[in-house]
Amino acid sequence: MFPGAVKTYVKCIYRAAVCMRARQLGLRCVVTVRCLPSWCVGHRALHSRRADQLLTGDHATRDALALSQHLAAAGRGAAASTWARAAGDEARARSAFERAARAYQRALELAAGPLDASARTALWRRAGECRALSGRAVAAAQAVERAAEGASAVEALALREREGALLLQAGHLARGLSVMSEVLSAVGLARPEARPEVLLRLGVTRARLRARGLRYRERGEDELPQSALLRLDACGSVAQALALVD
């Protein structure tokens, strides 16, 4: 072991001893076992012991994020992922959106083995929502894009709509318009590129509406085909997003 490593090791052991003595005296200690590097003897055991102490403590004062960190350092990835998700939920409830997004992404990293598609989609969706609420539209769009990768066809379409809207909101017009074009293409529609084409389509549609009239028969959502509902949702979302930039 190198002299520098020996010095660091001794310092860590000293800090851990001070921490344990302070806790015996009922004091709140700033230095915890997190100061120990991974190569220290008993590193995982100390983190595991601290995690067990937090698990058996008072639920009202339990720090989910600290518990997740100790469980991760102890090599208990699945439990760490669960508590990281809980930490994200707590932070989101307190409107600490950036912290919540980091916790959700940490939960994804700590998950032992591949998560099922629905759980992964839910975590990425929550991370994207929190990024958007914290004012980081581009990061939110990236998280939403990851959420769409494992989602069902209908849910993926809604997520791509949200991704495009976030990109447009952030001023990334080329990427945002490209995503919106893909959304429309997925439901059998196309976004006109040139202004004359837009005016032509508008004139034709208004002529058809005048010839048909405004009469209609109200129908419930369950009476309409899924493809029609998807087109309606896509057109509404795209129109709302493009109204700000096009």
mmCIF file of all heavy atoms in Angstrom, residues 1 22 28 31 37 54 59 71 76 79 81-82 84 88 100 102 112 116 136 147 155 162 165 171 183 187 195 204:
data_model
loop_
_atom_site.group_PDB
_atom_site.id
_atom_site.type_symbol
_atom_site.label_atom_id
_atom_site.label_comp_id
_atom_site.label_asym_id
_atom_site.label_seq_id
_atom_site.Cartn_x
_atom_site.Cartn_y
_atom_site.Cartn_z
ATOM 1 N N MET A 1 0.856 -1.191 0.000
ATOM 2 C CA MET A 1 0.000 0.000 0.000
ATOM 3 C C MET A 1 0.897 1.247 0.000
ATOM 4 O O MET A 1 1.863 1.326 0.744
ATOM 5 C CB MET A 1 -0.917 -0.011 1.223
ATOM 6 C CG MET A 1 -1.985 1.077 1.215
ATOM 7 S SD MET A 1 -3.070 0.957 2.652
ATOM 8 C CE MET A 1 -3.934 -0.541 2.287
ATOM 9 N N ALA A 22 -19.481 10.063 18.600
ATOM 10 C CA ALA A 22 -20.456 11.160 18.636
ATOM 11 C C ALA A 22 -21.879 10.622 18.688
ATOM 12 O O ALA A 22 -22.734 11.153 19.400
ATOM 13 C CB ALA A 22 -20.266 12.061 17.419
ATOM 14 N N ARG A 28 -25.299 14.880 16.724
ATOM 15 C CA ARG A 28 -25.502 14.743 15.283
ATOM 16 C C ARG A 28 -24.134 14.885 14.613
ATOM 17 O O ARG A 28 -23.517 15.950 14.677
ATOM 18 C CB ARG A 28 -26.464 15.822 14.762
ATOM 19 C CG ARG A 28 -26.707 15.707 13.264
ATOM 20 C CD ARG A 28 -27.700 16.771 12.816
ATOM 21 N NE ARG A 28 -27.881 16.711 11.388
ATOM 22 C CZ ARG A 28 -28.725 15.901 10.766
ATOM 23 N NH1 ARG A 28 -29.454 15.067 11.484
ATOM 24 N NH2 ARG A 28 -28.848 15.906 9.454
ATOM 25 N N VAL A 31 -19.748 13.804 9.817
ATOM 26 C CA VAL A 31 -18.949 12.816 9.106
ATOM 27 C C VAL A 31 -19.612 11.463 9.251
ATOM 28 O O VAL A 31 -19.904 11.018 10.350
ATOM 29 C CB VAL A 31 -17.514 12.755 9.673
ATOM 30 C CG1 VAL A 31 -16.675 11.756 8.883
ATOM 31 C CG2 VAL A 31 -16.876 14.125 9.634
ATOM 32 N N PRO A 37 -13.373 5.262 1.464
ATOM 33 C CA PRO A 37 -13.281 4.824 0.071
ATOM 34 C C PRO A 37 -13.628 3.355 -0.059
ATOM 35 O O PRO A 37 -13.635 2.608 0.922
ATOM 36 C CB PRO A 37 -11.810 5.083 -0.285
ATOM 37 C CG PRO A 37 -11.099 5.070 1.020
ATOM 38 C CD PRO A 37 -12.056 5.601 2.038
ATOM 39 N N LEU A 54 -30.988 2.904 9.554
ATOM 40 C CA LEU A 54 -31.988 3.808 8.992
ATOM 41 C C LEU A 54 -33.310 3.090 8.734
ATOM 42 O O LEU A 54 -34.389 3.668 8.905
ATOM 43 C CB LEU A 54 -31.462 4.414 7.691
ATOM 44 C CG LEU A 54 -30.313 5.423 7.825
ATOM 45 C CD1 LEU A 54 -29.783 5.809 6.447
ATOM 46 C CD2 LEU A 54 -30.773 6.672 8.574
ATOM 47 N N HIS A 59 -39.934 6.278 10.776
ATOM 48 C CA HIS A 59 -40.346 6.495 9.388
ATOM 49 C C HIS A 59 -40.472 7.988 9.071
ATOM 50 O O HIS A 59 -40.204 8.412 7.949
ATOM 51 C CB HIS A 59 -41.681 5.795 9.115
ATOM 52 C CG HIS A 59 -41.576 4.308 9.079
ATOM 53 N ND1 HIS A 59 -41.356 3.592 7.921
ATOM 54 C CD2 HIS A 59 -41.636 3.389 10.060
ATOM 55 C CE1 HIS A 59 -41.302 2.306 8.189
ATOM 56 N NE2 HIS A 59 -41.472 2.150 9.486
ATOM 57 N N LEU A 71 -27.304 1.891 0.860
ATOM 58 C CA LEU A 71 -27.626 0.581 0.285
ATOM 59 C C LEU A 71 -26.819 0.334 -0.989
ATOM 60 O O LEU A 71 -26.349 -0.781 -1.232
ATOM 61 C CB LEU A 71 -29.120 0.496 -0.016
ATOM 62 C CG LEU A 71 -30.044 0.378 1.205
ATOM 63 C CD1 LEU A 71 -31.492 0.588 0.791
ATOM 64 C CD2 LEU A 71 -29.880 -0.986 1.874
ATOM 65 N N ARG A 76 -26.312 -3.466 -2.314
ATOM 66 C CA ARG A 76 -27.717 -3.912 -2.326
ATOM 67 C C ARG A 76 -28.487 -3.053 -3.328
ATOM 68 O O ARG A 76 -29.261 -2.182 -2.991
ATOM 69 C CB ARG A 76 -28.295 -3.814 -0.918
ATOM 70 C CG ARG A 76 -27.606 -4.767 0.048
ATOM 71 C CD ARG A 76 -27.651 -4.324 1.492
ATOM 72 N NE ARG A 76 -28.992 -4.347 2.057
ATOM 73 C CZ ARG A 76 -29.261 -4.068 3.342
ATOM 74 N NH1 ARG A 76 -28.253 -3.767 4.168
ATOM 75 N NH2 ARG A 76 -30.500 -4.087 3.785
ATOM 76 N N ALA A 79 -32.637 -2.818 -3.534
ATOM 77 C CA ALA A 79 -33.212 -2.005 -2.461
ATOM 78 C C ALA A 79 -32.830 -0.540 -2.629
ATOM 79 O O ALA A 79 -33.638 0.361 -2.384
ATOM 80 C CB ALA A 79 -32.740 -2.528 -1.108
ATOM 81 N N SER A 81 -32.303 1.019 -5.420
ATOM 82 C CA SER A 81 -33.123 1.570 -6.491
ATOM 83 C C SER A 81 -34.524 1.925 -5.987
ATOM 84 O O SER A 81 -35.068 2.982 -6.324
ATOM 85 C CB SER A 81 -33.225 0.560 -7.642
ATOM 86 O OG SER A 81 -34.069 1.044 -8.665
ATOM 87 N N THR A 82 -35.090 1.053 -5.165
ATOM 88 C CA THR A 82 -36.426 1.308 -4.620
ATOM 89 C C THR A 82 -36.443 2.574 -3.767
ATOM 90 O O THR A 82 -37.351 3.406 -3.875
ATOM 91 C CB THR A 82 -36.888 0.106 -3.779
ATOM 92 O OG1 THR A 82 -36.932 -1.056 -4.606
ATOM 93 C CG2 THR A 82 -38.262 0.362 -3.182
ATOM 94 N N ALA A 84 -34.230 5.033 -3.904
ATOM 95 C CA ALA A 84 -33.956 6.202 -4.749
ATOM 96 C C ALA A 84 -35.242 6.691 -5.396
ATOM 97 O O ALA A 84 -35.478 7.899 -5.516
ATOM 98 C CB ALA A 84 -32.924 5.847 -5.814
ATOM 99 N N GLY A 88 -37.061 10.305 -4.925
ATOM 100 C CA GLY A 88 -37.564 11.143 -6.011
ATOM 101 C C GLY A 88 -38.995 11.585 -5.772
ATOM 102 O O GLY A 88 -39.343 12.751 -6.010
ATOM 103 N N ALA A 100 -35.402 15.642 -7.584
ATOM 104 C CA ALA A 100 -36.246 14.489 -7.889
ATOM 105 C C ALA A 100 -35.808 13.804 -9.185
ATOM 106 O O ALA A 100 -35.743 12.573 -9.258
ATOM 107 C CB ALA A 100 -37.705 14.931 -7.989
ATOM 108 N N ARG A 102 -32.829 13.762 -10.514
ATOM 109 C CA ARG A 102 -31.578 13.036 -10.269
ATOM 110 C C ARG A 102 -31.839 11.735 -9.525
ATOM 111 O O ARG A 102 -31.196 10.708 -9.801
ATOM 112 C CB ARG A 102 -30.608 13.913 -9.478
ATOM 113 C CG ARG A 102 -30.019 15.073 -10.269
ATOM 114 C CD ARG A 102 -28.773 15.624 -9.591
ATOM 115 N NE ARG A 102 -29.059 16.108 -8.252
ATOM 116 C CZ ARG A 102 -29.382 17.369 -7.971
ATOM 117 N NH1 ARG A 102 -29.463 18.269 -8.938
ATOM 118 N NH2 ARG A 102 -29.618 17.747 -6.727
ATOM 119 N N ALA A 112 -31.134 -3.578 -9.995
ATOM 120 C CA ALA A 112 -30.406 -4.837 -10.183
ATOM 121 C C ALA A 112 -31.053 -5.613 -11.318
ATOM 122 O O ALA A 112 -32.191 -6.061 -11.207
ATOM 123 C CB ALA A 112 -30.432 -5.656 -8.891
ATOM 124 N N ASP A 116 -38.474 -3.988 -15.956
ATOM 125 C CA ASP A 116 -39.485 -4.226 -16.982
ATOM 126 C C ASP A 116 -39.803 -2.913 -17.675
ATOM 127 O O ASP A 116 -39.565 -1.829 -17.134
ATOM 128 C CB ASP A 116 -40.739 -4.845 -16.377
ATOM 129 C CG ASP A 116 -41.383 -3.943 -15.343
ATOM 130 O OD1 ASP A 116 -40.975 -4.006 -14.168
ATOM 131 O OD2 ASP A 116 -42.267 -3.160 -15.715
ATOM 132 N N ARG A 136 -35.554 22.894 -17.438
ATOM 133 C CA ARG A 136 -34.533 22.289 -18.292
ATOM 134 C C ARG A 136 -35.238 21.487 -19.384
ATOM 135 O O ARG A 136 -35.353 20.261 -19.325
ATOM 136 C CB ARG A 136 -33.595 21.414 -17.472
ATOM 137 C CG ARG A 136 -32.864 22.182 -16.384
ATOM 138 C CD ARG A 136 -31.863 21.313 -15.662
ATOM 139 N NE ARG A 136 -30.877 20.756 -16.580
ATOM 140 C CZ ARG A 136 -29.995 19.823 -16.239
ATOM 141 N NH1 ARG A 136 -29.987 19.347 -15.014
ATOM 142 N NH2 ARG A 136 -29.130 19.368 -17.123
ATOM 143 N N ALA A 147 -38.050 7.469 -22.306
ATOM 144 C CA ALA A 147 -39.287 6.851 -21.834
ATOM 145 C C ALA A 147 -40.068 6.228 -22.985
ATOM 146 O O ALA A 147 -40.684 5.166 -22.838
ATOM 147 C CB ALA A 147 -40.148 7.881 -21.110
ATOM 148 N N GLU A 155 -48.758 5.040 -26.082
ATOM 149 C CA GLU A 155 -48.055 5.855 -25.094
ATOM 150 C C GLU A 155 -46.804 6.490 -25.700
ATOM 151 O O GLU A 155 -46.473 7.638 -25.407
ATOM 152 C CB GLU A 155 -47.670 5.001 -23.890
ATOM 153 C CG GLU A 155 -47.098 5.789 -22.738
ATOM 154 C CD GLU A 155 -46.757 4.924 -21.543
ATOM 155 O OE1 GLU A 155 -46.813 3.681 -21.675
ATOM 156 O OE2 GLU A 155 -46.432 5.481 -20.482
ATOM 157 N N ARG A 162 -44.827 15.062 -26.652
ATOM 158 C CA ARG A 162 -44.291 15.861 -25.550
ATOM 159 C C ARG A 162 -42.830 16.221 -25.796
ATOM 160 O O ARG A 162 -42.397 17.344 -25.519
ATOM 161 C CB ARG A 162 -44.426 15.062 -24.245
ATOM 162 C CG ARG A 162 -43.899 15.772 -23.009
ATOM 163 C CD ARG A 162 -44.612 17.054 -22.755
ATOM 164 N NE ARG A 162 -44.185 17.659 -21.493
ATOM 165 C CZ ARG A 162 -44.239 18.948 -21.233
ATOM 166 N NH1 ARG A 162 -44.713 19.790 -22.144
ATOM 167 N NH2 ARG A 162 -43.847 19.416 -20.071
ATOM 168 N N ALA A 165 -42.674 19.063 -28.321
ATOM 169 C CA ALA A 165 -43.103 20.326 -27.722
ATOM 170 C C ALA A 165 -42.011 20.917 -26.834
ATOM 171 O O ALA A 165 -41.778 22.130 -26.836
ATOM 172 C CB ALA A 165 -44.383 20.105 -26.912
ATOM 173 N N GLY A 171 -36.293 26.168 -28.052
ATOM 174 C CA GLY A 171 -35.709 26.861 -29.190
ATOM 175 C C GLY A 171 -34.973 25.962 -30.160
ATOM 176 O O GLY A 171 -34.356 26.458 -31.112
ATOM 177 N N VAL A 183 -44.295 12.346 -35.656
ATOM 178 C CA VAL A 183 -45.554 12.071 -34.963
ATOM 179 C C VAL A 183 -46.710 12.064 -35.957
ATOM 180 O O VAL A 183 -47.555 11.162 -35.958
ATOM 181 C CB VAL A 183 -45.799 13.112 -33.851
ATOM 182 C CG1 VAL A 183 -47.224 13.011 -33.325
ATOM 183 C CG2 VAL A 183 -44.797 12.912 -32.719
ATOM 184 N N VAL A 187 -49.380 8.747 -37.680
ATOM 185 C CA VAL A 187 -50.844 8.641 -37.732
ATOM 186 C C VAL A 187 -51.370 8.875 -39.148
ATOM 187 O O VAL A 187 -52.557 9.139 -39.348
ATOM 188 C CB VAL A 187 -51.500 9.636 -36.756
ATOM 189 C CG1 VAL A 187 -51.161 9.277 -35.325
ATOM 190 C CG2 VAL A 187 -51.085 11.069 -37.063
ATOM 191 N N ARG A 195 -45.171 27.534 -47.388
ATOM 192 C CA ARG A 195 -46.347 28.351 -47.080
ATOM 193 C C ARG A 195 -47.447 28.220 -48.133
ATOM 194 O O ARG A 195 -48.625 28.122 -47.768
ATOM 195 C CB ARG A 195 -45.916 29.811 -46.919
ATOM 196 C CG ARG A 195 -47.040 30.729 -46.469
ATOM 197 C CD ARG A 195 -46.523 32.130 -46.222
ATOM 198 N NE ARG A 195 -47.580 33.003 -45.755
ATOM 199 C CZ ARG A 195 -47.981 33.101 -44.488
ATOM 200 N NH1 ARG A 195 -47.391 32.365 -43.569
ATOM 201 N NH2 ARG A 195 -48.952 33.925 -44.143
ATOM 202 N N VAL A 204 -58.719 24.373 -49.276
ATOM 203 C CA VAL A 204 -59.468 23.152 -49.610
ATOM 204 C C VAL A 204 -60.290 22.683 -48.416
ATOM 205 O O VAL A 204 -61.468 22.299 -48.551
ATOM 206 C CB VAL A 204 -58.500 22.049 -50.077
ATOM 207 C CG1 VAL A 204 -59.236 20.721 -50.204
ATOM 208 C CG2 VAL A 204 -57.856 22.428 -51.401
#
